[in-house]
Amino acid sequence: GAGVSQSPSNKVTEKGKDVELRCDPISGHTALYWYRQSLGQGLEFLIYFQGNSAPDKSGLPSDRFSAERTGGSVSTLTIQRTQQEDSAVYLCASSLDSYYGYTFGSGTRLTVV
Amino acid sequence: KNQVEQSPQSLIILEGKNCTLQCNYTVSPFSNLRWYKQDTGRGPVSLTIMTFSENTKSNGRYTATLDADTKQSSLHITASQLSDSASYICVVSAVDSSYKLIFGSGTRLLVRP
């Protein structure tokens, strides 16, 4: 597609449930990133995928968070046993490499009640 | 600790007026600085990107400046339009981890008719 697509755009879930967030990057972009934007805060790095290299997971806040990227394209961010502090907008971005302009998706707004 | 701070937090101006947004950073070793515009409910969109050797870059009515010695940047918006109402985010990356963008909290700009 023309841009980075994320789904769902909004997700309300009960505390303790698992959620999956999906990101479909721009075709041909080898780099894919997940960021989290909490209310009133700057975006926080979560994870970075580059081609077939091992991902940099250093930004994941706890072992309840995991992400995978299948076939070098679509990525899924999974949050297990969600907590209220997980409520945020989760943004995905892709780029040709880490220097050039990133293209962000519109994000998934996650609300844990 | 690598940080990016922006001021003011919010700003209201009249349509047609100019404004300047500020960004201070402590990221080291510095790689590049980007300004993004984020409309409500959308992902950030890149306005400018500058490396150490660049001290000014324009994109239409947007002009960014960079002083790498004092670690300061500004974004000047000329002849503001209602569509400029958005959050403007300063983003810095370090040489040793260029894909881990470090985001400021943004300046929320409201342009009134």
Side-chain angles (χ1 to χ4, degrees):
Chain A
V4 176
S5 178
Q6 290 189 245
S7 61
S9 55
N10 281 284
K11 176 72 176 179
V12 180
T13 189
E14 291 182 352
K15 179 181 173 181
K17 298 286 188 183
D18 297 351
V19 295
E20 282 191 354
L21 313 180
R22 176 188 168 102
C23 173
D24 200 342
I26 291 175
S27 178
H29 279 191
T30 57
L32 186 147
Y33 320 78
W34 283 97
Y35 284 83
R36 178 168 72 173
Q37 187 172 32
S38 301
L39 189 64
Q41 305 292 319
L43 274 74
E44 170 192 15
F45 169 80
L46 296 178
I47 189 168
Y48 163 65
F49 295 91
Q50 173 59 273
N52 295 321
S53 302
D56 180 343
K57 304 179 180 180
S58 60
L60 295 179
S62 78
D63 59 8
R64 296 186 294 103
F65 288 72
S66 63
E68 62 178 24
R69 188 180 185 190
T70 55
S73 180
V74 173
S75 176
T76 303
L77 177 68
T78 301
I79 308 173
Q80 295 178 311
R81 306 181 301 284
T82 52
Q83 303 295 312
Q84 286 186 332
E85 61 263 28
D86 299 334
S87 296
V89 176
Y90 290 82
L91 285 161
C92 175
S94 71
S95 67
L96 284 173
D97 65 30
S98 63
Y99 177 80
Y100 286 99
Y102 295 38
T103 301
F104 282 86
S106 295
T108 293
R109 180 175 297 277
L110 175 66
T111 303
V112 181
V113 297
Chain B
K1 180 181 178 183
N2 289 332
Q3 286 186 315
V4 177
E5 295 188 353
Q6 293 187 243
S7 63
Q9 274 192 323
S10 62
L11 182 63
I12 301 174
I13 61 173
L14 293 176
E15 186 179 12
K17 298 296 186 182
N18 304 334
C19 66
T20 300
L21 315 179
Q22 302 292 342
C23 172
N24 296 333
Y25 62 92
T26 59
V27 177
S28 181
F30 174 81
S31 175
N32 60 72
L33 184 146
R34 311 162 193 241
W35 282 94
Y36 280 85
K37 178 186 179 187
Q38 185 174 22
D39 293 310
T40 302
R42 307 301 298 268
V45 174
S46 180
L47 295 175
T48 63
I49 178 169
M50 290 183 290
T51 59
F52 182 88
S53 60
E54 297 174 293
N55 54 27
T56 187
K57 184 163 282 189
S58 292
N59 178 0
R61 294 179 296 103
Y62 301 102
T63 299
T65 66
L66 172 64
D67 186 333
D69 292 330
T70 62
K71 299 187 176 181
Q72 296 179 324
S73 176
S74 66
L75 180 69
H76 186 74
I77 304 175
T78 304
S80 60
Q81 300 176 357
L82 298 179
S83 59
D84 292 333
S85 295
S87 287
Y88 291 85
I89 306 173
C90 177
V91 184
V92 183
S93 63
V95 170
D96 53 358
S97 55
S98 59
Y99 55 85
K100 285 185 184 179
L101 302 184
I102 301 163
F103 287 74
S105 297
T107 293
R108 294 178 64 88
L109 175 66
L110 176 62
V111 180
R112 286 187 167 160

